[in-house]
Amino acid sequence: MAVVGNRKQLMSLLLLCVITSGVVIPPLWAEAQVTCPGLVNTLLPCANYVLNGGDIPATCCPAVKKVEDSLKTKQDRQSACQCVKETFAKAKPDQLKRAQDLPANCHLPALPFPISPNVDCSSISK
């Protein structure tokens, strides 16, 4: 009986962690290597610029390039898209514009999905 109780407690704790962290767990059959916390962590050097404007930090563009390079599979692109969509759901228009312009300002190709809170991430096919 103690094992069942511990399992229930563990599942409740896991559910609480997921809910409070805002992390979306992808389906088990998805093979995405890109996670939202990992993506956010990689792009931390860009956060102040996206939030407040000013100069793009020297460490930001390499971070954007690293993200672009990590989007190898459809699942990776869809996972990153969903993360970006959720991250910018409540962004101010100027913050969204800075994020959208970041790849071009870093002289990098555009991401394989629009940076928008309205994008349909399930439509990403390549």
Side-chain angles (χ1 to χ4, degrees):
M1 206 51 137
V3 173
V4 173
N6 286 341
R7 222 178 259 165
K8 277 185 173 181
Q9 289 174 341
L10 181 60
M11 291 306 290
S12 296
L13 181 59
L14 179 59
L15 182 60
L16 178 64
C17 289
V18 169
I19 291 170
T20 58
S21 69
V23 175
V24 176
I25 298 176
L28 294 176
W29 61 87
E31 296 178 17
Q33 298 297 312
V34 174
T35 65
C36 197
L39 189 72
V40 170
N41 189 50
T42 299
L43 292 173
L44 272 178
C46 306
N48 191 51
Y49 167 74
V50 170
L51 293 173
N52 304 309
D55 294 330
I56 297 173
T59 53
C60 176
C61 290
V64 174
K65 172 96 171 93
K66 184 176 180 179
V67 167
E68 286 185 347
D69 290 346
S70 72
L71 304 178
K72 298 189 185 307
T73 67
K74 176 181 172 181
Q75 288 83 9
D76 289 336
R77 291 184 285 278
Q78 287 179 336
S79 178
C81 175
Q82 191 62 38
C83 178
V84 168
K85 178 179 180 173
E86 292 170 5
T87 299
F88 286 97
K90 295 181 181 175
K92 296 176 185 172
D94 57 327
Q95 294 169 333
L96 184 59
K97 178 74 171 131
R98 282 191 290 272
Q100 291 168 334
D101 293 344
L102 202 49
N105 289 340
C106 289
H107 307 288
L108 295 168
L111 291 172
F113 51 84
I115 298 175
S116 168
N118 304 315
V119 63
D120 177 7
C121 297
S122 67
S123 69
I124 297 171
S125 59
K126 58 177 187 171

